[in-house]
Amino acid sequence: MSLNIGDVVFYKTHPYTGNNNNIRIAMYADYTAPILVVFKSLEDREFDVTTGKKVGMMTECVYYNTNEGKFCTRKIHSSELISSRESVVKERVDLLKEINLEIDLKDLKKEKNIKSIEELIKSKYLHTKVTLRSVDLELHKCKVGREKDNGDLVETNHLEFLPPVMTVIDFRYCDDKSKFCNKTGKPLVEFKCKWYNSKLKTFSEEFLNTELLYLIDFPLHLLEVYATQIDSNSYNLIKLKKSILLEDSANKKVKYTLGQSEAIVHKHFYYDLLTSDLIRGKKVSVLINDEIKEVKDSVLWGNIFPDYKNKRYFNGINDYDFKENEYYYISYTDKAKRFSKRVVNIRDLFFVIENREALYENLGWADDEISGNDSDIKKFISGTNSFFINSMTRENVSISKEKNGEEISVSRSFINNKNVVVLLEANCLLKGGLIRHFRLDGISEVRMINNGKSLLEEGEIIIDKKE
């Protein structure tokens, strides 16, 4: 295996593989070797001179030992190492930049010479923050232990070899006589890095080759913007890592969620925003890496129930006008008295007759001698217990046996009868977009999400003219 200076590698006993670092470490995690960065290639040959077989190369690798508070180097043969395909977790790839002085000079259209290199370092890198290339994988490394009461494993970070965030305070050439590599022509420069050493309780300094380091490029100006939203009533439009496919909805996907900001959390070299996630119904950490997409409270919410401000609550939830294919935020208590809040996409509104005999008795339809209109309704609803609700007014409700089938109008009192159960069929985002049915009498609060399709499916904020 051919390795280059700056490559991130694992020792063969490490639980990570070359293509998969999303692995949790159980049992005795202290046996886990550090993630290494190739520091030197100690041999030019990769093949045995007598057999012609590929034998690899001897390398020198570097890592940071937090227990000793220092950088350590070890000679290891390449046959004992596994090369990592990725050295940065995907979502944070824009925050860690490779340091390549040659490319920087080309971008600036400057000639490669000692003077240009020194000017570049002083203008771009001096007093910036850097860290060892293994930082993100070490930060991502987790161990799992004893199970919780509900069977979930307790997960904690395994930070024994996490390299520090450092400041560049000076630089030098690796060799005063050989300032450029005789094979590649790259400038051989080391940065003098300074960091607070938590083990020694003082500041430490170390010269490190630029090819071993990442430049930390976090947009700090965003923190002030996000800080203004803490504990406000507005929401942030946040892209989901994995889209939610709505069941039986022509491949419709929810790609965004809404979160209320609660706190800014520092995580070694980057910042997360702790949010209360509307769709997932729990607190979620989201990487701060983009301009904020604020959705004000007045823009987000449409019709609500109960509407105390406009005194629209006297007739109960049955009077609320649900619209098909719209998104709603509901507070719901099921038959087992379990309370939850969830975002749903309405598919249908229908009702079920639970006790036909009791219904007829309440409506005075038990005898055959009933009025012509009531007789027509009684005849229409015979033979099945489930009906679609197509439209509603304050006095009447239009119903049908089939979706968009033959309709008949019944009074509101019919729907409000205790022997009739009105149900919502909806795609529930809390349940991964699966179809669920909700008893209308179990919904204690509902809010319509204005322009929900644009917000949650397309990530577009639409502000009505009246706003």
Side-chain angles (χ1 to χ4, degrees):
M1 177 175 61
S2 179
L3 294 172
N4 299 311
I5 295 173
D7 284 353
V8 176
V9 294
F10 312 127
Y11 194 68
K12 277 199 170 180
T13 59
H14 200 283
Y16 287 179
T17 67
N19 297 322
N20 188 3
N21 54 51
N22 194 26
I23 295 172
R24 299 298 181 259
I25 303 167
M27 309 309 289
Y28 195 62
D30 288 354
Y31 278 136
T32 306
I35 297 170
L36 309 166
V37 183
V38 177
F39 176 44
K40 288 180 182 178
S41 173
L42 302 178
E43 291 181 358
D44 292 331
R45 66 186 184 90
E46 290 189 50
F47 294 87
D48 188 279
V49 294
T50 57
T51 65
K53 293 182 179 180
K54 195 166 186 176
V55 294
M57 58 197 302
M58 183 62 72
T59 66
E60 190 168 346
C61 299
V62 62
Y63 65 95
Y64 186 79
N65 189 326
T66 56
N67 290 328
E68 297 181 5
K70 66 178 184 179
F71 289 92
C72 302
T73 58
R74 293 291 182 271
K75 293 180 181 179
I76 304 175
H77 198 272
S78 63
S79 61
E80 302 172 42
L81 300 172
I82 300 170
S83 180
S84 174
R85 186 182 64 180
E86 297 175 347
S87 58
V88 182
V89 176
K90 186 177 180 181
E91 66 174 0
R92 297 193 286 270
V93 70
D94 292 333
L95 304 182
L96 296 173
K97 307 290 188 183
E98 290 189 2
I99 298 172
N100 192 315
L101 301 178
E102 280 191 308
I103 292 178
D104 289 339
L105 291 173
K106 286 181 181 178
D107 292 341
L108 295 171
K109 297 180 179 180
K110 289 188 175 182
E111 185 181 348
K112 184 172 65 175
N113 55 47
I114 293 175
K115 182 181 178 182
S116 297
I117 291 170
E118 291 179 354
E119 288 177 351
L120 170 65
I121 294 173
K122 290 176 181 178
S123 62
K124 183 174 180 178
Y125 293 105
L126 206 59
H127 308 305
T128 59
K129 291 189 288 186
V130 295
T131 188
L132 196 64
R133 286 194 177 196
S134 58
V135 64
D136 207 31
L137 295 187
E138 288 288 4
L139 194 61
H140 184 65
K141 192 162 61 179
C142 290
K143 57 184 179 181
V144 290
R146 183 179 297 174
E147 291 184 358
K148 296 180 181 178
D149 293 338
N150 63 0
D152 292 340
L153 291 172
V154 178
E155 183 176 299
T156 55
N157 293 98
H158 186 51
L159 305 175
E160 187 174 353
F161 303 108
L162 179 68
V165 173
M166 304 172 287
T167 303
V168 179
I169 61 172
D170 203 353
F171 67 95
R172 72 181 183 188
Y173 288 95
C174 300
D175 188 332
D176 288 335
K177 295 181 179 179
S178 303
K179 293 182 170 58
F180 297 89
C181 179
N182 58 9
K183 292 183 179 179
T184 64
K186 290 182 179 180
L188 300 176
V189 176
E190 293 179 330
F191 284 166
K192 188 177 185 181
C193 301
K194 186 175 184 177
W195 74 99
Y196 177 72
N197 193 318
S198 60
K199 183 68 177 178
L200 302 178
K201 305 303 178 186
T202 187
F203 286 91
S204 296
E205 298 174 1
E206 182 89 20
F207 277 101
L208 294 168
N209 190 308
T210 58
E211 293 182 85
L212 307 180
L213 302 172
Y214 276 135
L215 174 70
I216 298 172
D217 187 23
F218 185 86
L220 287 171
H221 68 279
L222 293 178
L223 295 183
E224 292 184 13
V225 181
Y226 278 82
T228 60
Q229 273 208 310
I230 304 297
D231 296 327
S232 71
N233 289 326
S234 62
Y235 284 78
N236 296 332
L237 189 61
I238 301 166
K239 190 167 185 178
L240 292 167
K241 292 180 181 179
K242 184 178 180 182
S243 299
I244 301 173
L245 178 65
L246 302 189
E247 181 184 359
D248 194 26
S249 295
N251 206 35
K252 186 189 293 185
K253 292 181 180 180
V254 170
K255 300 176 182 178
Y256 295 83
T257 184
L258 294 157
Q260 279 191 306
S261 305
E262 294 194 0
I264 294 174
V265 182
H266 179 241
K267 294 189 174 180
H268 200 53
F269 70 87
Y270 65 94
Y271 294 83
D272 271 356
L273 182 70
L274 183 64
T275 67
S276 181
D277 192 297
L278 201 68
I279 286 180
R280 287 170 280 194
K282 61 182 181 180
K283 296 186 191 304
V284 177
S285 285
V286 180
L287 177 67
I288 296 176
N289 191 29
D290 206 351
E291 296 293 336
I292 201 166
K293 290 186 176 181
E294 183 180 18
V295 185
K296 293 188 178 296
D297 195 57
S298 58
V299 173
L300 179 61
W301 302 120
N303 294 333
I304 65 173
F305 172 85
D307 187 355
Y308 296 108
K309 181 179 179 181
N310 298 305
K311 297 183 179 180
R312 296 174 184 167
Y313 55 88
F314 294 109
N315 296 326
I317 188 67
N318 281 9
D319 274 356
Y320 189 87
D321 185 18
F322 286 97
K323 298 183 183 299
E324 191 175 328
N325 293 321
E326 293 290 348
Y327 288 90
Y328 294 84
Y329 185 52
I330 64 172
S331 299
Y332 183 69
T333 305
D334 63 16
K335 279 189 170 183
K337 305 299 181 185
R338 293 173 298 197
F339 178 80
S340 62
K341 293 186 176 184
R342 53 187 81 198
V343 176
V344 298
N345 180 254
I346 303 300
R347 296 170 58 86
D348 282 312
L349 183 64
F350 63 99
F351 70 87
V352 174
I353 299 173
E354 283 197 327
N355 190 327
R356 188 178 294 272
E357 290 184 6
L359 173 65
Y360 287 176
E361 186 71 32
N362 288 160
L363 297 175
W365 293 0
D367 299 327
D368 292 333
E369 296 180 5
I370 57 176
S371 66
N373 186 52
D374 288 345
S375 178
D376 290 341
I377 296 173
K378 182 178 180 181
K379 182 178 178 181
F380 185 85
I381 65 173
S382 63
T384 182
N385 289 332
S386 179
F387 301 87
F388 287 94
I389 297 175
N390 300 315
S391 63
M392 292 190 291
T393 65
R394 285 188 174 276
E395 293 79 24
N396 299 306
V397 179
S398 176
I399 67 172
S400 62
K401 293 180 181 179
E402 302 292 338
K403 181 73 172 176
N404 300 319
E406 180 187 355
E407 297 184 359
I408 194 170
S409 181
V410 300
S411 66
R412 275 278 186 178
S413 60
F414 181 93
I415 294 296
N416 293 336
N417 192 283
K418 64 180 180 180
N419 297 294
V420 172
V421 177
V422 183
L423 296 148
L424 283 177
E425 182 177 271
N427 293 100
C428 179
L429 303 191
L430 185 63
K431 297 298 182 182
L434 297 177
I435 295 173
R436 292 291 185 266
H437 297 92
F438 303 92
R439 297 168 64 98
L440 214 59
D441 58 9
I443 299 175
S444 57
E445 185 178 0
V446 57
R447 291 171 174 251
M448 180 182 181
I449 299 176
N450 283 330
N451 303 304
K453 177 179 172 62
S454 296
L455 274 175
L456 303 180
E457 296 177 24
E458 300 166 9
E460 295 181 5
I461 301 171
I462 298 176
I463 300 177
D464 295 333
K465 291 182 180 180
K466 63 180 181 180
E467 300 293 346

